[in-house]
Amino acid sequence: PVPSGHVSEILDSLPENQKQIMFQRFYENRTLEEIGQSQGYSKEAARQNINKIICRLRENISEDFGV
């Protein structure tokens, strides 16, 4: 398992708008449509953005832990 402190560091390194998107999706359980509206783009753009952020997080974790 990845130490939780390390995950926090990776999340903290995200640009502010990406942190806000992740917070809205996974903490506030907001829908893609709600996130898109709050960011000024479509539901599909919100989905794509979240997927890109998750891919970057996975890459960072994989690089740091050789997974």
Side-chain angles (χ1 to χ4, degrees):
V2 177
S4 62
H6 188 71
V7 173
S8 294
E9 288 175 22
I10 292 171
L11 289 171
D12 285 343
S13 72
L14 292 173
E16 191 59 39
N17 69 320
Q18 291 182 352
K19 281 192 259 190
Q20 186 178 39
I21 290 167
M22 297 299 281
F23 182 81
Q24 289 174 344
R25 182 66 174 155
F26 297 105
Y27 183 75
E28 295 179 339
N29 295 315
R30 294 180 71 185
T31 66
L32 294 173
E33 188 171 345
E34 291 171 329
I35 294 167
Q37 287 174 349
S38 75
Q39 299 294 316
Y41 45 74
S42 70
K43 173 182 171 179
E44 180 61 18
R47 184 191 66 76
Q48 291 174 356
N49 201 339
I50 289 168
N51 286 340
K52 286 178 188 177
I53 296 167
I54 290 171
C55 284
R56 285 189 203 122
L57 293 172
R58 284 183 183 144
E59 288 171 6
N60 285 338
I61 290 170
S62 293
E63 288 172 4
D64 290 350
F65 290 92
V67 178

PDB file of all heavy atoms in Angstrom, residues 18-56:
ATOM      1  N   GLN A  18      -7.560  21.645 -10.324  1.00  0.00           N
ATOM      2  CA  GLN A  18      -7.649  20.188 -10.314  1.00  0.00           C
ATOM      3  C   GLN A  18      -7.934  19.652  -8.912  1.00  0.00           C
ATOM      4  O   GLN A  18      -8.694  18.708  -8.744  1.00  0.00           O
ATOM      5  CB  GLN A  18      -6.375  19.564 -10.878  1.00  0.00           C
ATOM      6  CG  GLN A  18      -6.222  19.806 -12.361  1.00  0.00           C
ATOM      7  CD  GLN A  18      -4.995  19.150 -12.941  1.00  0.00           C
ATOM      8  OE1 GLN A  18      -4.150  18.614 -12.230  1.00  0.00           O
ATOM      9  NE2 GLN A  18      -4.874  19.208 -14.254  1.00  0.00           N
ATOM     10  N   LYS A  19      -7.355  20.283  -7.902  1.00  0.00           N
ATOM     11  CA  LYS A  19      -7.672  19.903  -6.519  1.00  0.00           C
ATOM     12  C   LYS A  19      -9.149  20.123  -6.238  1.00  0.00           C
ATOM     13  O   LYS A  19      -9.807  19.289  -5.623  1.00  0.00           O
ATOM     14  CB  LYS A  19      -6.846  20.722  -5.519  1.00  0.00           C
ATOM     15  CG  LYS A  19      -5.442  20.253  -5.348  1.00  0.00           C
ATOM     16  CD  LYS A  19      -4.807  20.921  -4.168  1.00  0.00           C
ATOM     17  CE  LYS A  19      -3.929  22.030  -4.629  1.00  0.00           C
ATOM     18  NZ  LYS A  19      -3.092  22.603  -3.579  1.00  0.00           N
ATOM     19  N   GLN A  20      -9.661  21.250  -6.721  1.00  0.00           N
ATOM     20  CA  GLN A  20     -11.068  21.584  -6.509  1.00  0.00           C
ATOM     21  C   GLN A  20     -11.971  20.551  -7.187  1.00  0.00           C
ATOM     22  O   GLN A  20     -12.959  20.098  -6.602  1.00  0.00           O
ATOM     23  CB  GLN A  20     -11.347  22.985  -7.050  1.00  0.00           C
ATOM     24  CG  GLN A  20     -12.726  23.494  -6.755  1.00  0.00           C
ATOM     25  CD  GLN A  20     -12.923  24.905  -7.273  1.00  0.00           C
ATOM     26  OE1 GLN A  20     -12.453  25.257  -8.359  1.00  0.00           O
ATOM     27  NE2 GLN A  20     -13.609  25.718  -6.494  1.00  0.00           N
ATOM     28  N   ILE A  21     -11.627  20.149  -8.390  1.00  0.00           N
ATOM     29  CA  ILE A  21     -12.402  19.150  -9.121  1.00  0.00           C
ATOM     30  C   ILE A  21     -12.412  17.823  -8.370  1.00  0.00           C
ATOM     31  O   ILE A  21     -13.463  17.197  -8.203  1.00  0.00           O
ATOM     32  CB  ILE A  21     -11.844  18.969 -10.550  1.00  0.00           C
ATOM     33  CG1 ILE A  21     -12.148  20.212 -11.382  1.00  0.00           C
ATOM     34  CG2 ILE A  21     -12.409  17.716 -11.218  1.00  0.00           C
ATOM     35  CD1 ILE A  21     -11.387  20.274 -12.699  1.00  0.00           C
ATOM     36  N   MET A  22     -11.261  17.383  -7.898  1.00  0.00           N
ATOM     37  CA  MET A  22     -11.177  16.108  -7.170  1.00  0.00           C
ATOM     38  C   MET A  22     -11.958  16.186  -5.863  1.00  0.00           C
ATOM     39  O   MET A  22     -12.637  15.231  -5.473  1.00  0.00           O
ATOM     40  CB  MET A  22      -9.714  15.739  -6.908  1.00  0.00           C
ATOM     41  CG  MET A  22      -8.910  15.498  -8.180  1.00  0.00           C
ATOM     42  SD  MET A  22      -9.549  14.140  -9.184  1.00  0.00           S
ATOM     43  CE  MET A  22      -8.902  12.755  -8.277  1.00  0.00           C
ATOM     44  N   PHE A  23     -11.881  17.315  -5.180  1.00  0.00           N
ATOM     45  CA  PHE A  23     -12.624  17.509  -3.937  1.00  0.00           C
ATOM     46  C   PHE A  23     -14.124  17.423  -4.200  1.00  0.00           C
ATOM     47  O   PHE A  23     -14.861  16.740  -3.480  1.00  0.00           O
ATOM     48  CB  PHE A  23     -12.254  18.860  -3.321  1.00  0.00           C
ATOM     49  CG  PHE A  23     -12.935  19.144  -2.015  1.00  0.00           C
ATOM     50  CD1 PHE A  23     -12.445  18.606  -0.841  1.00  0.00           C
ATOM     51  CD2 PHE A  23     -14.056  19.954  -1.962  1.00  0.00           C
ATOM     52  CE1 PHE A  23     -13.077  18.867   0.374  1.00  0.00           C
ATOM     53  CE2 PHE A  23     -14.693  20.217  -0.758  1.00  0.00           C
ATOM     54  CZ  PHE A  23     -14.196  19.664   0.415  1.00  0.00           C
ATOM     55  N   GLN A  24     -14.567  18.111  -5.259  1.00  0.00           N
ATOM     56  CA  GLN A  24     -15.990  18.098  -5.590  1.00  0.00           C
ATOM     57  C   GLN A  24     -16.469  16.685  -5.924  1.00  0.00           C
ATOM     58  O   GLN A  24     -17.543  16.275  -5.494  1.00  0.00           O
ATOM     59  CB  GLN A  24     -16.269  19.018  -6.782  1.00  0.00           C
ATOM     60  CG  GLN A  24     -16.140  20.472  -6.468  1.00  0.00           C
ATOM     61  CD  GLN A  24     -16.284  21.340  -7.710  1.00  0.00           C
ATOM     62  OE1 GLN A  24     -16.201  20.880  -8.832  1.00  0.00           O
ATOM     63  NE2 GLN A  24     -16.500  22.628  -7.491  1.00  0.00           N
ATOM     64  N   ARG A  25     -15.669  15.957  -6.655  1.00  0.00           N
ATOM     65  CA  ARG A  25     -16.101  14.628  -7.111  1.00  0.00           C
ATOM     66  C   ARG A  25     -16.064  13.593  -5.991  1.00  0.00           C
ATOM     67  O   ARG A  25     -17.004  12.829  -5.797  1.00  0.00           O
ATOM     68  CB  ARG A  25     -15.220  14.171  -8.284  1.00  0.00           C
ATOM     69  CG  ARG A  25     -15.616  12.841  -8.861  1.00  0.00           C
ATOM     70  CD  ARG A  25     -16.970  12.926  -9.515  1.00  0.00           C
ATOM     71  NE  ARG A  25     -17.288  11.672 -10.185  1.00  0.00           N
ATOM     72  CZ  ARG A  25     -18.507  11.254 -10.424  1.00  0.00           C
ATOM     73  NH1 ARG A  25     -19.531  11.992 -10.067  1.00  0.00           N
ATOM     74  NH2 ARG A  25     -18.715  10.127 -11.032  1.00  0.00           N
ATOM     75  N   PHE A  26     -14.972  13.540  -5.256  1.00  0.00           N
ATOM     76  CA  PHE A  26     -14.775  12.443  -4.318  1.00  0.00           C
ATOM     77  C   PHE A  26     -15.063  12.772  -2.860  1.00  0.00           C
ATOM     78  O   PHE A  26     -15.211  11.872  -2.044  1.00  0.00           O
ATOM     79  CB  PHE A  26     -13.362  11.872  -4.478  1.00  0.00           C
ATOM     80  CG  PHE A  26     -13.154  11.285  -5.849  1.00  0.00           C
ATOM     81  CD1 PHE A  26     -12.404  11.951  -6.797  1.00  0.00           C
ATOM     82  CD2 PHE A  26     -13.750  10.088  -6.196  1.00  0.00           C
ATOM     83  CE1 PHE A  26     -12.233  11.413  -8.070  1.00  0.00           C
ATOM     84  CE2 PHE A  26     -13.591   9.542  -7.461  1.00  0.00           C
ATOM     85  CZ  PHE A  26     -12.832  10.212  -8.407  1.00  0.00           C
ATOM     86  N   TYR A  27     -15.155  14.037  -2.519  1.00  0.00           N
ATOM     87  CA  TYR A  27     -15.489  14.398  -1.148  1.00  0.00           C
ATOM     88  C   TYR A  27     -16.937  14.878  -1.053  1.00  0.00           C
ATOM     89  O   TYR A  27     -17.679  14.457  -0.179  1.00  0.00           O
ATOM     90  CB  TYR A  27     -14.527  15.464  -0.612  1.00  0.00           C
ATOM     91  CG  TYR A  27     -14.793  15.820   0.829  1.00  0.00           C
ATOM     92  CD1 TYR A  27     -14.417  14.959   1.853  1.00  0.00           C
ATOM     93  CD2 TYR A  27     -15.429  17.007   1.161  1.00  0.00           C
ATOM     94  CE1 TYR A  27     -14.678  15.272   3.187  1.00  0.00           C
ATOM     95  CE2 TYR A  27     -15.687  17.332   2.480  1.00  0.00           C
ATOM     96  CZ  TYR A  27     -15.313  16.469   3.484  1.00  0.00           C
ATOM     97  OH  TYR A  27     -15.577  16.788   4.790  1.00  0.00           O
ATOM     98  N   GLU A  28     -17.308  15.747  -1.993  1.00  0.00           N
ATOM     99  CA  GLU A  28     -18.673  16.269  -1.986  1.00  0.00           C
ATOM    100  C   GLU A  28     -19.633  15.386  -2.784  1.00  0.00           C
ATOM    101  O   GLU A  28     -20.828  15.639  -2.788  1.00  0.00           O
ATOM    102  CB  GLU A  28     -18.693  17.688  -2.562  1.00  0.00           C
ATOM    103  CG  GLU A  28     -17.927  18.682  -1.723  1.00  0.00           C
ATOM    104  CD  GLU A  28     -17.922  20.077  -2.318  1.00  0.00           C
ATOM    105  OE1 GLU A  28     -18.159  20.234  -3.533  1.00  0.00           O
ATOM    106  OE2 GLU A  28     -17.659  21.019  -1.549  1.00  0.00           O
ATOM    107  N   ASN A  29     -19.100  14.376  -3.483  1.00  0.00           N
ATOM    108  CA  ASN A  29     -19.907  13.463  -4.309  1.00  0.00           C
ATOM    109  C   ASN A  29     -20.772  14.199  -5.324  1.00  0.00           C
ATOM    110  O   ASN A  29     -21.909  13.819  -5.575  1.00  0.00           O
ATOM    111  CB  ASN A  29     -20.772  12.553  -3.434  1.00  0.00           C
ATOM    112  CG  ASN A  29     -19.932  11.626  -2.597  1.00  0.00           C
ATOM    113  OD1 ASN A  29     -18.982  11.029  -3.080  1.00  0.00           O
ATOM    114  ND2 ASN A  29     -20.270  11.521  -1.325  1.00  0.00           N
ATOM    115  N   ARG A  30     -20.213  15.248  -5.898  1.00  0.00           N
ATOM    116  CA  ARG A  30     -20.954  15.997  -6.911  1.00  0.00           C
ATOM    117  C   ARG A  30     -20.943  15.244  -8.233  1.00  0.00           C
ATOM    118  O   ARG A  30     -20.019  14.499  -8.528  1.00  0.00           O
ATOM    119  CB  ARG A  30     -20.355  17.388  -7.069  1.00  0.00           C
ATOM    120  CG  ARG A  30     -20.570  18.200  -5.777  1.00  0.00           C
ATOM    121  CD  ARG A  30     -20.006  19.559  -5.846  1.00  0.00           C
ATOM    122  NE  ARG A  30     -20.805  20.388  -6.743  1.00  0.00           N
ATOM    123  CZ  ARG A  30     -20.466  21.631  -7.062  1.00  0.00           C
ATOM    124  NH1 ARG A  30     -19.378  22.175  -6.552  1.00  0.00           N
ATOM    125  NH2 ARG A  30     -21.209  22.326  -7.873  1.00  0.00           N
ATOM    126  N   THR A  31     -21.967  15.437  -9.019  1.00  0.00           N
ATOM    127  CA  THR A  31     -22.074  14.774 -10.313  1.00  0.00           C
ATOM    128  C   THR A  31     -21.134  15.440 -11.313  1.00  0.00           C
ATOM    129  O   THR A  31     -20.673  16.578 -11.110  1.00  0.00           O
ATOM    130  CB  THR A  31     -23.508  14.846 -10.871  1.00  0.00           C
ATOM    131  OG1 THR A  31     -23.819  16.213 -11.159  1.00  0.00           O
ATOM    132  CG2 THR A  31     -24.521  14.261  -9.890  1.00  0.00           C
ATOM    133  N   LEU A  32     -20.879  14.732 -12.402  1.00  0.00           N
ATOM    134  CA  LEU A  32     -20.044  15.299 -13.458  1.00  0.00           C
ATOM    135  C   LEU A  32     -20.678  16.565 -14.029  1.00  0.00           C
ATOM    136  O   LEU A  32     -19.984  17.532 -14.347  1.00  0.00           O
ATOM    137  CB  LEU A  32     -19.819  14.268 -14.562  1.00  0.00           C
ATOM    138  CG  LEU A  32     -19.009  13.041 -14.157  1.00  0.00           C
ATOM    139  CD1 LEU A  32     -18.998  12.021 -15.277  1.00  0.00           C
ATOM    140  CD2 LEU A  32     -17.595  13.426 -13.756  1.00  0.00           C
ATOM    141  N   GLU A  33     -21.992  16.545 -14.147  1.00  0.00           N
ATOM    142  CA  GLU A  33     -22.696  17.723 -14.652  1.00  0.00           C
ATOM    143  C   GLU A  33     -22.498  18.918 -13.717  1.00  0.00           C
ATOM    144  O   GLU A  33     -22.230  20.040 -14.169  1.00  0.00           O
ATOM    145  CB  GLU A  33     -24.186  17.422 -14.812  1.00  0.00           C
ATOM    146  CG  GLU A  33     -24.944  18.528 -15.499  1.00  0.00           C
ATOM    147  CD  GLU A  33     -26.372  18.124 -15.846  1.00  0.00           C
ATOM    148  OE1 GLU A  33     -26.697  16.926 -15.809  1.00  0.00           O
ATOM    149  OE2 GLU A  33     -27.145  19.040 -16.149  1.00  0.00           O
ATOM    150  N   GLU A  34     -22.604  18.695 -12.411  1.00  0.00           N
ATOM    151  CA  GLU A  34     -22.410  19.781 -11.444  1.00  0.00           C
ATOM    152  C   GLU A  34     -20.983  20.304 -11.493  1.00  0.00           C
ATOM    153  O   GLU A  34     -20.752  21.516 -11.424  1.00  0.00           O
ATOM    154  CB  GLU A  34     -22.728  19.292 -10.026  1.00  0.00           C
ATOM    155  CG  GLU A  34     -24.192  19.011  -9.791  1.00  0.00           C
ATOM    156  CD  GLU A  34     -24.456  18.321  -8.460  1.00  0.00           C
ATOM    157  OE1 GLU A  34     -23.596  17.545  -7.986  1.00  0.00           O
ATOM    158  OE2 GLU A  34     -25.547  18.551  -7.913  1.00  0.00           O
ATOM    159  N   ILE A  35     -20.029  19.396 -11.598  1.00  0.00           N
ATOM    160  CA  ILE A  35     -18.622  19.809 -11.662  1.00  0.00           C
ATOM    161  C   ILE A  35     -18.375  20.607 -12.936  1.00  0.00           C
ATOM    162  O   ILE A  35     -17.741  21.663 -12.903  1.00  0.00           O
ATOM    163  CB  ILE A  35     -17.690  18.591 -11.581  1.00  0.00           C
ATOM    164  CG1 ILE A  35     -17.810  17.936 -10.205  1.00  0.00           C
ATOM    165  CG2 ILE A  35     -16.232  18.997 -11.860  1.00  0.00           C
ATOM    166  CD1 ILE A  35     -17.180  16.564 -10.108  1.00  0.00           C
ATOM    167  N   GLY A  36     -18.886  20.110 -14.050  1.00  0.00           N
ATOM    168  CA  GLY A  36     -18.727  20.826 -15.306  1.00  0.00           C
ATOM    169  C   GLY A  36     -19.303  22.228 -15.231  1.00  0.00           C
ATOM    170  O   GLY A  36     -18.669  23.203 -15.658  1.00  0.00           O
ATOM    171  N   GLN A  37     -20.497  22.347 -14.665  1.00  0.00           N
ATOM    172  CA  GLN A  37     -21.125  23.663 -14.538  1.00  0.00           C
ATOM    173  C   GLN A  37     -20.287  24.590 -13.669  1.00  0.00           C
ATOM    174  O   GLN A  37     -20.114  25.767 -13.987  1.00  0.00           O
ATOM    175  CB  GLN A  37     -22.530  23.534 -13.961  1.00  0.00           C
ATOM    176  CG  GLN A  37     -23.526  22.956 -14.934  1.00  0.00           C
ATOM    177  CD  GLN A  37     -24.893  22.706 -14.294  1.00  0.00           C
ATOM    178  OE1 GLN A  37     -25.059  22.774 -13.087  1.00  0.00           O
ATOM    179  NE2 GLN A  37     -25.871  22.407 -15.138  1.00  0.00           N
ATOM    180  N   SER A  38     -19.748  24.065 -12.575  1.00  0.00           N
ATOM    181  CA  SER A  38     -18.962  24.913 -11.672  1.00  0.00           C
ATOM    182  C   SER A  38     -17.643  25.358 -12.312  1.00  0.00           C
ATOM    183  O   SER A  38     -17.102  26.396 -11.942  1.00  0.00           O
ATOM    184  CB  SER A  38     -18.689  24.193 -10.351  1.00  0.00           C
ATOM    185  OG  SER A  38     -17.687  23.210 -10.513  1.00  0.00           O
ATOM    186  N   GLN A  39     -17.141  24.566 -13.265  1.00  0.00           N
ATOM    187  CA  GLN A  39     -15.873  24.883 -13.921  1.00  0.00           C
ATOM    188  C   GLN A  39     -16.067  25.569 -15.276  1.00  0.00           C
ATOM    189  O   GLN A  39     -15.106  25.966 -15.925  1.00  0.00           O
ATOM    190  CB  GLN A  39     -15.050  23.601 -14.113  1.00  0.00           C
ATOM    191  CG  GLN A  39     -14.679  22.898 -12.823  1.00  0.00           C
ATOM    192  CD  GLN A  39     -13.736  23.712 -11.970  1.00  0.00           C
ATOM    193  OE1 GLN A  39     -12.774  24.283 -12.470  1.00  0.00           O
ATOM    194  NE2 GLN A  39     -14.013  23.788 -10.680  1.00  0.00           N
ATOM    195  N   GLY A  40     -17.326  25.632 -15.724  1.00  0.00           N
ATOM    196  CA  GLY A  40     -17.610  26.304 -16.982  1.00  0.00           C
ATOM    197  C   GLY A  40     -17.423  25.443 -18.212  1.00  0.00           C
ATOM    198  O   GLY A  40     -17.099  25.948 -19.282  1.00  0.00           O
ATOM    199  N   TYR A  41     -17.608  24.118 -18.062  1.00  0.00           N
ATOM    200  CA  TYR A  41     -17.541  23.256 -19.227  1.00  0.00           C
ATOM    201  C   TYR A  41     -18.536  22.121 -19.122  1.00  0.00           C
ATOM    202  O   TYR A  41     -19.277  22.028 -18.146  1.00  0.00           O
ATOM    203  CB  TYR A  41     -16.123  22.749 -19.513  1.00  0.00           C
ATOM    204  CG  TYR A  41     -15.318  22.246 -18.331  1.00  0.00           C
ATOM    205  CD1 TYR A  41     -15.601  21.024 -17.731  1.00  0.00           C
ATOM    206  CD2 TYR A  41     -14.255  22.975 -17.846  1.00  0.00           C
ATOM    207  CE1 TYR A  41     -14.840  20.556 -16.674  1.00  0.00           C
ATOM    208  CE2 TYR A  41     -13.495  22.520 -16.783  1.00  0.00           C
ATOM    209  CZ  TYR A  41     -13.787  21.312 -16.204  1.00  0.00           C
ATOM    210  OH  TYR A  41     -13.042  20.856 -15.164  1.00  0.00           O
ATOM    211  N   SER A  42     -18.567  21.255 -20.126  1.00  0.00           N
ATOM    212  CA  SER A  42     -19.589  20.209 -20.212  1.00  0.00           C
ATOM    213  C   SER A  42     -19.334  19.049 -19.256  1.00  0.00           C
ATOM    214  O   SER A  42     -18.231  18.892 -18.715  1.00  0.00           O
ATOM    215  CB  SER A  42     -19.646  19.658 -21.640  1.00  0.00           C
ATOM    216  OG  SER A  42     -18.478  18.908 -21.919  1.00  0.00           O
ATOM    217  N   LYS A  43     -20.363  18.236 -19.103  1.00  0.00           N
ATOM    218  CA  LYS A  43     -20.265  17.015 -18.302  1.00  0.00           C
ATOM    219  C   LYS A  43     -19.162  16.111 -18.852  1.00  0.00           C
ATOM    220  O   LYS A  43     -18.372  15.551 -18.094  1.00  0.00           O
ATOM    221  CB  LYS A  43     -21.621  16.307 -18.349  1.00  0.00           C
ATOM    222  CG  LYS A  43     -21.679  14.964 -17.720  1.00  0.00           C
ATOM    223  CD  LYS A  43     -23.087  14.370 -17.905  1.00  0.00           C
ATOM    224  CE  LYS A  43     -23.150  12.940 -17.480  1.00  0.00           C
ATOM    225  NZ  LYS A  43     -24.490  12.373 -17.624  1.00  0.00           N
ATOM    226  N   GLU A  44     -19.100  15.974 -20.171  1.00  0.00           N
ATOM    227  CA  GLU A  44     -18.082  15.127 -20.806  1.00  0.00           C
ATOM    228  C   GLU A  44     -16.679  15.669 -20.566  1.00  0.00           C
ATOM    229  O   GLU A  44     -15.749  14.917 -20.287  1.00  0.00           O
ATOM    230  CB  GLU A  44     -18.348  14.995 -22.306  1.00  0.00           C
ATOM    231  CG  GLU A  44     -17.343  14.149 -23.049  1.00  0.00           C
ATOM    232  CD  GLU A  44     -17.260  12.697 -22.593  1.00  0.00           C
ATOM    233  OE1 GLU A  44     -18.189  12.193 -21.926  1.00  0.00           O
ATOM    234  OE2 GLU A  44     -16.231  12.049 -22.895  1.00  0.00           O
ATOM    235  N   ALA A  45     -16.520  16.978 -20.637  1.00  0.00           N
ATOM    236  CA  ALA A  45     -15.217  17.587 -20.357  1.00  0.00           C
ATOM    237  C   ALA A  45     -14.818  17.355 -18.901  1.00  0.00           C
ATOM    238  O   ALA A  45     -13.645  17.106 -18.602  1.00  0.00           O
ATOM    239  CB  ALA A  45     -15.242  19.073 -20.683  1.00  0.00           C
ATOM    240  N   ALA A  46     -15.781  17.409 -17.995  1.00  0.00           N
ATOM    241  CA  ALA A  46     -15.506  17.138 -16.584  1.00  0.00           C
ATOM    242  C   ALA A  46     -15.033  15.692 -16.407  1.00  0.00           C
ATOM    243  O   ALA A  46     -14.053  15.429 -15.711  1.00  0.00           O
ATOM    244  CB  ALA A  46     -16.749  17.388 -15.737  1.00  0.00           C
ATOM    245  N   ARG A  47     -15.699  14.751 -17.065  1.00  0.00           N
ATOM    246  CA  ARG A  47     -15.311  13.337 -16.988  1.00  0.00           C
ATOM    247  C   ARG A  47     -13.897  13.143 -17.511  1.00  0.00           C
ATOM    248  O   ARG A  47     -13.072  12.484 -16.877  1.00  0.00           O
ATOM    249  CB  ARG A  47     -16.293  12.480 -17.781  1.00  0.00           C
ATOM    250  CG  ARG A  47     -16.021  10.982 -17.664  1.00  0.00           C
ATOM    251  CD  ARG A  47     -16.820  10.175 -18.665  1.00  0.00           C
ATOM    252  NE  ARG A  47     -16.423  10.441 -20.041  1.00  0.00           N
ATOM    253  CZ  ARG A  47     -15.307   9.966 -20.619  1.00  0.00           C
ATOM    254  NH1 ARG A  47     -14.474   9.221 -19.936  1.00  0.00           N
ATOM    255  NH2 ARG A  47     -15.033  10.257 -21.872  1.00  0.00           N
ATOM    256  N   GLN A  48     -13.602  13.737 -18.661  1.00  0.00           N
ATOM    257  CA  GLN A  48     -12.272  13.601 -19.251  1.00  0.00           C
ATOM    258  C   GLN A  48     -11.203  14.210 -18.357  1.00  0.00           C
ATOM    259  O   GLN A  48     -10.119  13.640 -18.185  1.00  0.00           O
ATOM    260  CB  GLN A  48     -12.245  14.246 -20.637  1.00  0.00           C
ATOM    261  CG  GLN A  48     -13.054  13.497 -21.662  1.00  0.00           C
ATOM    262  CD  GLN A  48     -13.145  14.233 -22.997  1.00  0.00           C
ATOM    263  OE1 GLN A  48     -12.662  15.360 -23.136  1.00  0.00           O
ATOM    264  NE2 GLN A  48     -13.771  13.601 -23.968  1.00  0.00           N
ATOM    265  N   ASN A  49     -11.503  15.354 -17.772  1.00  0.00           N
ATOM    266  CA  ASN A  49     -10.550  16.027 -16.892  1.00  0.00           C
ATOM    267  C   ASN A  49     -10.258  15.169 -15.661  1.00  0.00           C
ATOM    268  O   ASN A  49      -9.099  14.999 -15.271  1.00  0.00           O
ATOM    269  CB  ASN A  49     -11.098  17.396 -16.489  1.00  0.00           C
ATOM    270  CG  ASN A  49     -10.025  18.345 -16.029  1.00  0.00           C
ATOM    271  OD1 ASN A  49      -8.947  17.946 -15.634  1.00  0.00           O
ATOM    272  ND2 ASN A  49     -10.332  19.628 -16.071  1.00  0.00           N
ATOM    273  N   ILE A  50     -11.288  14.611 -15.053  1.00  0.00           N
ATOM    274  CA  ILE A  50     -11.102  13.753 -13.880  1.00  0.00           C
ATOM    275  C   ILE A  50     -10.262  12.530 -14.246  1.00  0.00           C
ATOM    276  O   ILE A  50      -9.351  12.147 -13.506  1.00  0.00           O
ATOM    277  CB  ILE A  50     -12.459  13.351 -13.275  1.00  0.00           C
ATOM    278  CG1 ILE A  50     -13.098  14.573 -12.607  1.00  0.00           C
ATOM    279  CG2 ILE A  50     -12.309  12.204 -12.270  1.00  0.00           C
ATOM    280  CD1 ILE A  50     -14.544  14.400 -12.225  1.00  0.00           C
ATOM    281  N   ASN A  51     -10.546  11.933 -15.396  1.00  0.00           N
ATOM    282  CA  ASN A  51      -9.765  10.768 -15.831  1.00  0.00           C
ATOM    283  C   ASN A  51      -8.300  11.117 -16.040  1.00  0.00           C
ATOM    284  O   ASN A  51      -7.407  10.340 -15.672  1.00  0.00           O
ATOM    285  CB  ASN A  51     -10.356  10.159 -17.097  1.00  0.00           C
ATOM    286  CG  ASN A  51     -11.632   9.400 -16.827  1.00  0.00           C
ATOM    287  OD1 ASN A  51     -11.907   9.011 -15.697  1.00  0.00           O
ATOM    288  ND2 ASN A  51     -12.431   9.193 -17.859  1.00  0.00           N
ATOM    289  N   LYS A  52      -8.015  12.284 -16.610  1.00  0.00           N
ATOM    290  CA  LYS A  52      -6.625  12.723 -16.802  1.00  0.00           C
ATOM    291  C   LYS A  52      -5.923  12.916 -15.459  1.00  0.00           C
ATOM    292  O   LYS A  52      -4.764  12.538 -15.287  1.00  0.00           O
ATOM    293  CB  LYS A  52      -6.582  14.024 -17.599  1.00  0.00           C
ATOM    294  CG  LYS A  52      -6.891  13.852 -19.062  1.00  0.00           C
ATOM    295  CD  LYS A  52      -6.862  15.201 -19.765  1.00  0.00           C
ATOM    296  CE  LYS A  52      -7.358  15.079 -21.186  1.00  0.00           C
ATOM    297  NZ  LYS A  52      -7.414  16.378 -21.873  1.00  0.00           N
ATOM    298  N   ILE A  53      -6.630  13.532 -14.519  1.00  0.00           N
ATOM    299  CA  ILE A  53      -6.040  13.756 -13.190  1.00  0.00           C
ATOM    300  C   ILE A  53      -5.729  12.416 -12.529  1.00  0.00           C
ATOM    301  O   ILE A  53      -4.639  12.223 -11.973  1.00  0.00           O
ATOM    302  CB  ILE A  53      -6.991  14.591 -12.304  1.00  0.00           C
ATOM    303  CG1 ILE A  53      -7.182  15.998 -12.884  1.00  0.00           C
ATOM    304  CG2 ILE A  53      -6.460  14.669 -10.870  1.00  0.00           C
ATOM    305  CD1 ILE A  53      -8.327  16.780 -12.257  1.00  0.00           C
ATOM    306  N   ILE A  54      -6.657  11.473 -12.591  1.00  0.00           N
ATOM    307  CA  ILE A  54      -6.440  10.155 -11.982  1.00  0.00           C
ATOM    308  C   ILE A  54      -5.261   9.445 -12.644  1.00  0.00           C
ATOM    309  O   ILE A  54      -4.437   8.837 -11.949  1.00  0.00           O
ATOM    310  CB  ILE A  54      -7.735   9.320 -12.043  1.00  0.00           C
ATOM    311  CG1 ILE A  54      -8.782   9.912 -11.092  1.00  0.00           C
ATOM    312  CG2 ILE A  54      -7.451   7.848 -11.687  1.00  0.00           C
ATOM    313  CD1 ILE A  54     -10.163   9.311 -11.225  1.00  0.00           C
ATOM    314  N   CYS A  55      -5.159   9.535 -13.962  1.00  0.00           N
ATOM    315  CA  CYS A  55      -4.024   8.916 -14.664  1.00  0.00           C
ATOM    316  C   CYS A  55      -2.703   9.519 -14.191  1.00  0.00           C
ATOM    317  O   CYS A  55      -1.732   8.792 -13.963  1.00  0.00           O
ATOM    318  CB  CYS A  55      -4.173   9.071 -16.169  1.00  0.00           C
ATOM    319  SG  CYS A  55      -5.375   7.965 -16.897  1.00  0.00           S
ATOM    320  N   ARG A  56      -2.660  10.848 -14.039  1.00  0.00           N
ATOM    321  CA  ARG A  56      -1.436  11.501 -13.550  1.00  0.00           C
ATOM    322  C   ARG A  56      -1.100  11.050 -12.135  1.00  0.00           C
ATOM    323  O   ARG A  56       0.070  10.814 -11.802  1.00  0.00           O
ATOM    324  CB  ARG A  56      -1.595  13.019 -13.585  1.00  0.00           C
ATOM    325  CG  ARG A  56      -1.511  13.583 -14.956  1.00  0.00           C
ATOM    326  CD  ARG A  56      -1.441  15.111 -14.926  1.00  0.00           C
ATOM    327  NE  ARG A  56      -1.909  15.589 -16.208  1.00  0.00           N
ATOM    328  CZ  ARG A  56      -2.926  16.420 -16.387  1.00  0.00           C
ATOM    329  NH1 ARG A  56      -3.585  16.908 -15.355  1.00  0.00           N
ATOM    330  NH2 ARG A  56      -3.289  16.798 -17.588  1.00  0.00           N
TER     331      ARG A  56
END
